[in-house]
Amino acid sequence: MCGIVGFTGNRQAAPILLDGLSKLEYRGYDSAGLAVRDGDAMAQVVKAKGRLSNLVEKTDNGNALKGTCGIGHTRWATHGVPNEINSHPHNSQNGKISVVHNGIIENYLELKKRLLAKGYIFQSETDTEVVTLLLDYYFDGDLLKTLSKVMSRIEGSYALGIINKDNPDEIIAVKKDSPLIVGLSEEGNYIASDIPAVLKHTRKIY
């Protein structure tokens, strides 16, 4: 099972994301990654194959990634081998949209063929990248409305965490069948695949 963590608020996001991912290690994984945004700048994405400690080392325990809004992911390979390219988060081709995903998109091959026909280039072997590129294709300035269009076209189970350059300091999250919780605190808001990932920061959980 994959693990998802997200944070947006008034603290540096990367250390919080790494700590949250460490609480989800019980779910099993073969790679991990972070996408962190600092204001309206493009997201900084760092991925690492293997243990979460590799990602911790690569990011200097999160200190190398500045920004107060971000998403993190631990991946258990289903589509594509374990490596940094197939690791989440996945970015849109223009780099504006970053996505983490837990679940399986059952009709991803059909959707991938359609996107390839429209000129999109895939970097990974994952089903998740289809979601990212669909968001890019349908994006009209309103990420929530765009996500509704994408949800009507994908089949399967999913919990998604999405950040977008045009929506500073916001995380959009949606679920169908896959687990996802939301945590609220004075320091910021959280998403996660399970409660232990955010218990250090809040007990107000939905």
Side-chain angles (χ1 to χ4, degrees):
M1 293 184 293
C2 300
I4 290 174
V5 177
F7 172 77
T8 182
N10 56 20
R11 294 178 58 192
Q12 291 297 304
I16 293 173
L17 298 175
L18 289 171
D19 180 71
L21 290 176
S22 74
K23 304 300 192 298
L24 299 176
E25 286 186 292
Y26 73 89
R27 298 170 69 86
Y29 66 96
D30 50 49
S31 57
L34 301 177
V36 176
R37 294 189 55 251
D38 189 7
D40 60 0
M42 290 289 193
Q44 305 170 77
V45 177
V46 180
K47 306 177 184 183
K49 180 184 174 183
R51 305 302 298 172
L52 183 61
S53 58
N54 296 338
L55 184 62
V56 171
E57 182 179 351
K58 223 174 173 182
T59 62
D60 185 24
N61 204 30
N63 295 314
L65 296 178
K66 301 302 180 185
T68 58
C69 179
I71 49 179
H73 189 268
T74 50
R75 176 176 185 256
W76 186 258
T78 51
H79 297 93
V81 299
N83 60 27
E84 290 188 13
I85 294 174
N86 289 328
S87 300
H88 302 207
H90 289 291
N91 277 356
S92 59
Q93 287 182 183
N94 61 15
K96 288 187 175 183
I97 299 172
S98 301
V99 175
V100 291
H101 167 226
N102 175 28
I104 296 177
I105 307 303
E106 295 172 356
N107 61 335
Y108 87 100
L109 285 175
E110 173 191 342
L111 295 170
K112 185 173 183 177
K113 288 178 183 178
R114 293 181 185 179
L115 287 165
L116 286 169
K118 295 180 184 301
Y120 279 89
I121 299 171
F122 284 76
Q123 305 297 325
S124 76
E125 303 169 274
T126 69
D127 55 335
T128 303
E129 194 174 5
V130 166
V131 177
T132 311
L133 298 185
L134 279 174
L135 286 167
D136 176 75
Y137 177 72
Y138 286 112
F139 186 65
D140 60 359
D142 187 323
L143 186 57
L144 200 54
K145 288 183 179 178
T146 301
L147 181 56
S148 295
K149 290 181 183 177
V150 172
M151 288 171 60
S152 70
R153 288 160 175 80
I154 60 177
E155 300 171 4
S157 64
Y158 49 82
L160 300 170
I162 305 159
I163 57 175
N164 173 37
K165 184 179 183 296
D166 295 336
N167 298 77
D169 305 320
E170 289 185 7
I171 297 174
I172 303 291
V174 63
K175 71 178 291 293
K176 177 179 178 288
D177 298 329
S178 297
L180 189 70
I181 61 102
V182 174
L184 307 178
S185 77
E186 292 182 359
E187 295 181 331
N189 299 327
Y190 310 80
I191 61 168
S193 295
D194 201 358
I195 292 172
V198 302
L199 276 180
K200 181 178 178 180
H201 307 285
T202 183
R203 293 292 194 275
K204 194 172 184 180
I205 294 166
Y206 298 87

